[in-house]
Amino acid sequence: MSASEERAGTAEDGSSGVRTGTAAVVAAVWCELFGVARVDPDDDFFALGGHSMLAVRMASRLRTELGLRVPVRTILENPTVDALSRLLAEAVESATDPGGS
């Protein structure tokens, strides 16, 4: 488990308890960059004070944590923790699916 996942491990997602996997990583990165103890699934990037330079930093952190190239545009077009987590979880699954299905 990465340090990011450990920090987000206590954040509840409101539906299934503790976050795991990609959702935990995304939540931890948001907490780190916004300087908050926890984020909720419906927290919005812009409402928390997000801006283009923070999106660049987030893209970099997500690439480090998930091994995925995350365009800044993807972050800006999926501004909630839940929306971004779902999209990136699909990308991680596709990247690790050897059959491509």
Side-chain angles (χ1 to χ4, degrees):
M1 181 179 287
S2 73
S4 292
E5 288 173 315
E6 289 174 12
R7 284 192 302 276
T10 58
E12 294 181 15
D13 71 5
S15 61
S16 62
V18 177
R19 289 189 181 112
T20 59
T22 304
V25 172
V26 171
V29 169
W30 281 50
C31 288
E32 176 185 328
L33 294 178
F34 285 111
V36 296
R38 69 170 278 160
V39 290
D40 291 320
D42 60 345
D43 281 346
D44 184 274
F45 179 80
F46 300 106
L48 290 172
H51 48 79
S52 60
M53 290 308 296
L54 190 60
V56 170
R57 290 179 54 209
M58 185 174 289
S60 175
R61 291 290 297 128
L62 290 170
R63 182 176 185 155
T64 298
E65 293 291 331
L66 298 173
L68 290 176
R69 182 177 130 345
V70 181
V72 170
R73 181 177 181 161
T74 298
I75 295 167
L76 301 177
E77 290 178 347
N78 297 277
T80 65
V81 175
D82 186 55
L84 187 59
S85 294
R86 288 176 190 266
L87 184 75
L88 296 180
E90 290 174 14
V92 167
E93 189 174 308
S94 294
T96 58
D97 183 6
S101 55

